[in-house]
């Protein structure tokens, strides 16, 4: 098989690394890829949103399976475009990708499907949004409807802060078109968990639970990032509850989308808040999470290429997801300053030393290869991921590996996994 992975993050490095292990796979191309994917396959200089060029490449290179990593190509309709060209693609169509691409759409589907989620209003008009906020009070959450690279959500502690967020999004248009419509919803309290399932329209194969760490500093302080680390399983969502989660939040959505003529294929990722009143959906993503993907794929024992081909063909019921029992934990090494302005061009060394410590894999994100060395070019640079018998073991090994990696101006959180350990995992 010849596979085309679309994207350039740590998630795409993990996908390339795992897919390359499949005996079915002969060649892997990554568009546009990074310094890590270059070690697993061939990087192709096509951006993740350039659908015509991606389709042309897939046809010219006789690609057997396209694996989109990030949300942008999915929302733009890469699945529809590839299928029209006769190329199998593991991901949802543009209609299904609206679950991530439009928060108002996701809320409307959840309401129709009876999925538990925070009470909300959808507003195209700033005055109406302000009135709703004044009427309902704080804390309250204001979300730009469209894609905003993880930055379009403000959890406001006061009414003033929420009104400011409305001005930012709808008047000053900080996120462009993405903020012309906002969702205002009640703030939920609890611990978060990521629950990702592979879907082929009907069949659901759950991946084990994971937990992301969105804030840039320890103890969840500072601004939100794309994710500073993740581990799996997350004790806040134990395996004994996966069935309940599927029935509560995954199956109802799949049924609703079948009813609408758009069966959902690909990864359906529920961002959950485990509240005192039960699990509630904060958001849906329609792809693997980054960095959740890195620890999750380290635990996967099966043939990811075979699973994804089966998924793209509606045959997931013929496959299984064999998993390692160990815990996997990934620590993101970022450039100091991220998610604001950050330094670039740092040379990275010590990756081999880190990987020699045991079951460790250093996934690369914002890097490129220059004269045989990995050099940083992005905010999230690496995700140092380790396996351990327990969460404490995985955490200890991951941080031992982090200490082996040398990069100037590195910043990482030192408490990845702490919430799980507090639960006595
Ligand atoms: P989202 O992109 O919708 O997942 O939001 C990003 C982050 O904002 C989530 O991971 C939560 O930490 C937080 N968040 C979103 N919605 C809510 C909510 N209703 N209550 C509390 N926190 C929220
Ligand atoms: N780690 C959260 C996300 O990928 O959206």
């Amino acid at each position: 098989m010849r596979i085309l992975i679309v994207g350039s993050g740590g998630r795409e490095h993990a996908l390339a690394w795992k897919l390359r292990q499949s005996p079915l796979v002969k060649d892997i191309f990554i568009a546009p890829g990074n310094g890590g994917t270059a070690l697993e396959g061939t990087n192709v200089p096509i951006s993740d949103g350039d659908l015509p060029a991606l389709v042309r490449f897939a046809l010219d290179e006789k690609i057997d399976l396209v694996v989109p990593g990030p949300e942008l190509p999915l929302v733009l309709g890469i699945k529809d475009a590839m299928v029209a060209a006769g190329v199998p693609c593991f991901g949802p169509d543009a209609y299904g990708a609206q679950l991530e691409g439009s928060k108002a759409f996701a809320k409307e589907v959840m309401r129709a499907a009876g999925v538990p989620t925070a009470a909300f209003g959808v507003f195209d008009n700033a005055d109406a949004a302000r009135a709703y906020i004044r009427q309902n009070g704080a804390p309250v959450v204001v979300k730009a409807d469209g894609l905003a690279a993880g930055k379009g959500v403000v959890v406001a502690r006061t009414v003033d802060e929420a009104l400011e967020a409305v001005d930012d999004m709808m008047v000053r248009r900080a996120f462009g078109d993405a903020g012309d419509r906002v969702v205002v919803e009640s703030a939920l309290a609890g611990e978060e968990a990521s629950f990702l399932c592979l879907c082929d329209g009907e069949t659901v194969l759950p991946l084990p639970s994971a937990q992301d760490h969105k804030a840039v500093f320890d103890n969840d302080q500072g601004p939100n990032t794309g994710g500073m680390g993740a581990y799996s399983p997350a004790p806040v969502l134990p395996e004994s509850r996966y069935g309940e989660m599927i029935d509560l939040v995954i199956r109802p959505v799949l049924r609703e989308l079948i009813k609408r003529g758009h069966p959902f294929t690909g990864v359906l990722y529920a961002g959950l808040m485990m509240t005192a009143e039960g699990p509630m959906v904060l958001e849906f993503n329609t792809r693997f999470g980054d960095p959740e993907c890195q620890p999750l794929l380290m635990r996967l024992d099966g043939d990811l290429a075979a699973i994804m081909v089966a998924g793209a063909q509606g045959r997931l019921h013929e496959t299984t997801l064999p998993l390692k029992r160990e815990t996997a934990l990934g620590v993101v090494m970022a450039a100091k300053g991220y998610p604001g302005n950050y330094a670039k061009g740092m040379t990275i060394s010590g990756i081999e030393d880190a990987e020699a410590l045991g079951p460790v894999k250093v996934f690369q994100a914002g890097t490129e290869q220059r004269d045989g060395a990995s050099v940083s070019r992005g905010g999230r640079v690496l995700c140092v991921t380790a396996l351990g018998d327990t969460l404490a073991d995985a955490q200890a090994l991951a941080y031992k590996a982090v200490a082996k990696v040398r990069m100037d101006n590195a910043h990482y959180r030192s408490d990845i996994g702490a919430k799980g350990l507090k639960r006595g995992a």
Side-chain angles (χ1 to χ4, degrees):
M1 272 175 70
R2 291 160 67 79
I3 295 189
L4 171 63
I5 298 171
V6 179
S8 60
R11 165 184 50 213
E12 287 72 29
H13 186 189
L15 286 166
W17 168 80
K18 190 72 210 174
L19 286 166
R20 197 168 80 132
Q21 293 168 19
S22 163
L24 299 174
V25 173
K26 205 167 114 264
D27 296 297
I28 297 189
F29 300 92
I30 311 94
N34 60 36
T37 61
L39 307 173
E40 315 285 350
T42 307
N43 286 350
V44 183
I46 303 176
S47 76
D48 65 358
D50 190 349
L51 299 193
L54 291 167
V55 169
R56 211 174 316 119
F57 180 87
L59 290 174
D60 287 350
E61 292 294 331
K62 301 193 168 31
I63 295 296
D64 301 295
L65 177 70
V66 175
V67 180
E71 57 276 18
L72 180 67
L74 292 167
V75 169
L76 292 176
I78 192 170
K79 170 62 169 278
D80 313 75
M82 289 296 172
V83 167
V87 184
C89 176
F90 186 65
D93 62 10
Y95 187 88
Q98 289 180 86
L99 285 172
E100 174 160 6
S102 164
K103 296 198 184 275
F105 176 86
K107 285 294 214 180
E108 184 262 314
V109 168
M110 285 191 261
R111 181 180 275 163
V115 171
T117 188
F120 69 100
V122 176
F123 304 97
D124 293 304
N125 168 298
D127 281 331
R130 292 187 192 108
Y132 181 90
I133 288 166
R134 289 203 183 91
Q135 194 180 337
N136 288 279
V140 64
V141 184
V142 182
K143 302 181 172 186
D145 179 56
L147 293 183
K151 292 182 187 137
V153 175
V154 174
V155 182
R157 273 156 306 205
T158 64
V159 166
D160 280 348
E161 229 180 289
L163 296 176
E164 183 64 26
V166 168
D167 280 349
D168 238 14
M169 292 177 196
M170 303 191 84
V171 182
R172 289 191 283 275
R173 303 185 82 239
F175 306 110
D177 297 350
D180 285 345
R181 168 178 290 173
V182 298
V183 172
V184 182
E185 65 179 40
S186 45
L188 302 172
E191 193 175 331
E192 288 179 48
S194 304
F195 187 59
L196 287 72
C197 293
L198 306 184
C199 307
D200 71 354
E202 273 178 53
T203 302
V204 179
L205 287 182
L207 286 155
S209 64
Q211 189 169 55
D212 189 12
H213 298 66
K214 288 205 165 80
V216 71
F217 300 125
D218 284 9
N219 299 313
D220 296 334
Q221 300 297 303
N224 270 358
T225 68
M228 293 298 293
Y231 63 97
S232 168
V236 66
L237 179 51
E239 191 173 354
S240 57
R241 295 190 69 183
Y242 295 174
E244 175 197 340
M245 278 328 111
I246 291 172
D247 292 343
L248 194 66
V249 309
I250 304 291
R251 265 196 218 294
V253 167
L254 295 187
R255 256 187 252 119
E256 182 65 27
L257 290 185
I258 287 174
K259 218 159 74 186
R260 297 180 185 205
H262 291 275
F264 186 97
T265 299
V267 180
L268 185 56
Y269 164 150
L272 301 171
M273 186 72 93
M274 307 303 283
T275 76
E277 288 78 45
M280 306 260 231
V281 173
L282 294 175
E283 63 163 349
F284 280 113
N285 295 322
T286 59
R287 51 168 174 85
F288 279 105
D290 187 342
E292 292 98 321
C293 184
Q294 292 84 317
L296 285 172
L297 291 190
M298 253 187 112
R299 293 189 59 202
L300 183 63
D301 250 344
D303 181 335
L304 185 60
I307 293 167
M308 286 182 160
V309 168
Q313 296 174 341
R315 292 188 295 102
L316 267 191
H317 58 277
E318 294 172 13
T319 69
T320 55
L321 262 182
L323 293 163
K324 293 186 169 59
R325 296 302 309 173
E326 290 112 304
T327 290
L329 183 141
V331 178
V332 169
M333 294 183 76
K336 203 170 274 171
Y338 170 80
N341 291 330
Y342 52 81
K344 293 178 194 164
M346 288 91 76
T347 300
I348 300 152
S349 62
I351 289 179
E352 298 78 13
D353 300 338
E355 292 181 343
L357 288 173
V360 172
K361 179 70 195 171
V362 179
F363 295 110
Q364 303 190 31
T367 68
E368 61 194 18
Q369 292 294 327
R370 239 188 257 163
D371 305 325
S374 296
V375 176
S376 81
R377 66 166 186 209
R380 292 193 293 174
V381 181
L382 305 171
C383 183
V384 180
T385 312
L387 282 174
D389 286 338
T390 64
L391 176 53
D393 292 342
Q395 189 195 50
L397 183 57
Y399 278 107
K400 221 165 117 184
V402 165
K404 293 278 183 197
V405 176
R406 286 175 299 279
M407 178 177 92
D408 288 344
N409 297 311
H411 163 71
Y412 56 88
R413 278 181 61 159
S414 63
D415 66 343
I416 304 302
K419 284 197 203 90
L421 288 175
K422 225 157 75 193
R423 286 185 176 265

